[in-house]
Amino acid sequence: MKSGPSNRRRFLKSGVGLGAALVAGAEAGLAADDAKTPAVQPPAPDDPTKVQGRRASAYGERSRFEGAVRIPQGQSSLTPLQAMTGIITPSSLHFERHHAGVPDIDPRRHRLMIHGMVDRPLVLTMDDLKRYPSVTRIYFMECSGNGFRKRGEGTVQEAHGLTSCAEWTGVNLGLVLREAGVQAGASWIVAEGSDAAKMTRSVPLAKAMNDVLLAYGQNGEAIRPEQGYPVRMFVPGWEGNISVKWVRRIKVVDAPYQTREETSKYTDLMPTGKARQFTFEMDPKSLITFPSAGQKLQGPGFYEISGLAWSGRGAIRRVEVSTDGGRTWKDAALQSPVLPIAYTRFRYAWKWDGSEVVLQSRCTDEHGDTQPPLEALVKARGENWNYHFNAIQSWKVNKDGNVENALA
Ligand code: CO
């Protein structure tokens, strides 16, 4: 941890060719943290009180000494969970997953149509949408495939970075549907995006009427293009893919549409040869983000183990930490706020004696659901599934302080 940031600073402040260097690093599968090439950067003044500072600016930037970036991988990019503080992911570092790139949409020309089994079909401009009462909620989002890409390999970012948590502002979809007048016999909605894939997913009407948002705000400003500008559907607690971005059409129907993303993709093939379909909720999951793979402890002594826990079914009630590979578990402190369907930050005071140890975390949500060991998960689901991975993650701390991914 301590050697990482200074390397990172040197690397990221190289100035010339910064973008190219980042892209090269990403293509080589490296986080900026891992970049080993120190580069010259202009030093900060020895005494900042002796120098007139920079002028105010129109749109903020973080300190040039902060270097954590997403790892772009074609149609997705991974949040640097190891560098996050608190529970909110900055919009600039929120993970991405696109199926046909990020569309360029003029909000003045965007329309959202509500139609199908409704009494009064609606075609809403963004101005129309913003006249409805708004709600603001903090929710995590996790790609259904998170944890599979590099099962047992890499840093917490590389292995688990397809998750983020943000403050979302928008309109309750249920309110708009009630205005449109849902007809008897309707039981699902189908939402369609404005991207070149026309991402389409079916959502049960009960969920749509309950807590689904038409979100146009994220972390206090307009939602970013990568997250669905000017408006996305946000389906709390469910696999990320169903929160259709750039939403342009919601059709009220009486059956799921069996789209590509709910038949050939986002289904879970079981050992019986049958596939689970419409597995929406994201299971309870936790990750120790410090210490985690790629970081290095600077010798024995006190450390605060810190991490994130979440559940698609509600609030986190408990996080336990093991510092002996799962033989014994102790309760971690939950840092407020502890919100339903949001990240909960946990902390655990730990004194490292310098020996080789395996660190693990295990969370339990308000329904008593918890995380299985990997073997139990594989036993239950076989080897052909690609989604809903929530096994306990292990990090091995070696005697030299180097931390590595120890998931079998
Ligand atoms: Co699923």
Side-chain angles (χ1 to χ4, degrees):
M1 182 75 171
K2 277 171 190 153
S3 71
S6 53
N7 260 340
R8 198 162 73 199
R9 282 165 203 170
R10 285 194 295 273
F11 172 68
L12 283 169
K13 265 335 284 176
S14 58
V16 181
L18 174 63
L22 285 178
V23 170
E27 280 172 358
L30 296 171
D33 279 292
D34 301 329
K36 295 287 187 284
T37 318
V40 181
Q41 59 172 309
D46 287 336
D47 181 353
T49 69
K50 298 286 189 273
V51 185
Q52 176 68 35
R54 221 170 359 97
R55 294 163 67 111
S57 61
Y59 195 81
E61 276 183 38
R62 64 183 172 177
S63 163
R64 63 189 176 95
F65 295 105
E66 292 301 312
V69 289
R70 292 187 291 225
I71 304 173
Q73 301 188 322
Q75 297 281 12
S76 64
S77 67
L78 308 167
T79 290
L81 296 169
Q82 73 284 355
M84 299 289 96
T85 61
I87 60 168
I88 299 291
T89 310
S91 302
S92 52
L93 295 175
H94 194 288
F95 84 92
E96 304 165 273
R97 171 74 174 104
H98 317 303
H99 291 74
V102 181
D104 182 21
I105 299 175
D106 181 342
R108 293 166 299 185
R109 283 166 35 208
H110 188 73
R111 297 290 181 274
L112 171 60
M113 179 164 67
I114 312 284
H115 68 136
M117 297 173 71
V118 295
D119 293 333
R120 296 170 294 276
L122 302 171
V123 176
L124 303 172
T125 64
M126 287 308 298
D127 285 344
D128 293 337
L129 197 60
K130 288 177 180 175
R131 289 181 67 181
Y132 287 87
S134 69
V135 292
T136 295
R137 302 224 176 83
I138 294 172
Y139 289 128
F140 82 89
M141 170 167 286
E142 184 177 19
C143 175
S144 163
N146 195 30
F148 274 95
R149 190 172 303 238
K150 288 212 163 210
R151 198 167 100 177
E153 291 172 50
T155 65
V156 69
Q157 177 179 17
E158 291 165 335
H160 299 283
L162 289 171
T163 176
S164 303
C165 184
E167 183 198 78
W168 303 95
T169 295
V171 177
N172 267 318
L173 174 58
L175 186 67
V176 179
L177 289 174
R178 274 191 289 276
E179 194 193 352
V182 174
Q183 295 174 349
S187 53
W188 289 72
I189 63 161
V190 183
E192 180 187 77
S194 311
D195 56 328
K198 291 182 191 157
M199 169 59 66
T200 308
R201 287 291 312 254
S202 312
V203 182
L205 184 63
K207 178 73 171 174
M209 296 300 286
N210 181 24
D211 60 355
V212 174
L213 296 179
L214 296 168
Y216 49 75
Q218 179 186 4
N219 293 336
E221 63 180 349
I223 198 166
R224 299 242 161 158
E226 296 85 350
Q227 296 305 323
Y229 183 88
V231 59
R232 83 179 301 167
M233 192 164 73
F234 195 99
V235 185
W238 288 17
E239 54 193 21
N241 165 264
I242 202 164
S243 285
V244 172
K245 295 188 280 192
W246 317 289
V247 64
R248 68 174 187 175
R249 189 156 79 98
I250 289 175
K251 188 173 184 183
V252 179
V253 294
D254 61 1
Y257 262 36
Q258 310 290 350
T259 69
R260 174 184 179 272
E261 314 301 334
E262 49 207 38
T263 51
S264 98
K265 306 294 177 195
Y266 302 101
T267 56
D268 315 305
L269 186 57
M270 294 291 104
T272 59
K274 291 199 170 187
R276 300 195 309 176
Q277 194 185 15
F278 302 122
T279 48
F280 295 130
E281 286 173 332
M282 296 309 290
D283 298 307
K285 187 166 169 177
S286 70
L287 296 165
I288 292 173
T289 55
F290 177 81
S292 61
Q295 297 170 337
K296 185 176 167 70
L297 300 183
Q298 303 297 305
F302 173 81
Y303 292 92
E304 182 174 77
I305 293 172
S306 179
L308 295 165
W310 62 92
S311 168
R313 300 193 189 94
I316 291 296
R317 282 288 177 261
R318 183 182 197 189
V319 180
E320 297 157 283
V321 166
S322 175
T323 58
D324 57 11
R327 277 189 294 280
T328 61
W329 295 89
K330 296 214 176 80
D331 282 321
L334 303 187
Q335 183 175 307
S336 41
V338 177
L339 302 169
I341 315 183
Y343 282 176
T344 294
R345 170 74 57 179
F346 64 88
R347 296 178 281 111
Y348 180 82
W350 175 54
K351 201 169 166 191
W352 183 43
D353 64 7
S355 65
E356 187 180 296
V357 293
V358 172
L359 306 177
Q360 299 180 329
S361 64
R362 179 175 72 189
C363 70
T364 305
D365 70 15
E366 62 183 287
H367 303 286
D369 292 334
T370 186
Q371 296 179 258
L374 179 63
E375 315 83 71
L377 201 56
V378 170
K379 201 171 167 206
R381 295 195 203 158
E383 285 285 0
N384 294 320
W385 49 301
N386 294 306
Y387 304 107
H388 298 286
F389 179 89
N390 74 326
I392 292 168
Q393 171 67 49
S394 304
W395 307 119
K396 187 169 101 180
V397 181
N398 293 304
K399 285 181 181 150
D400 64 3
N402 278 308
V403 187
E404 58 186 275
N405 193 325
L407 187 72

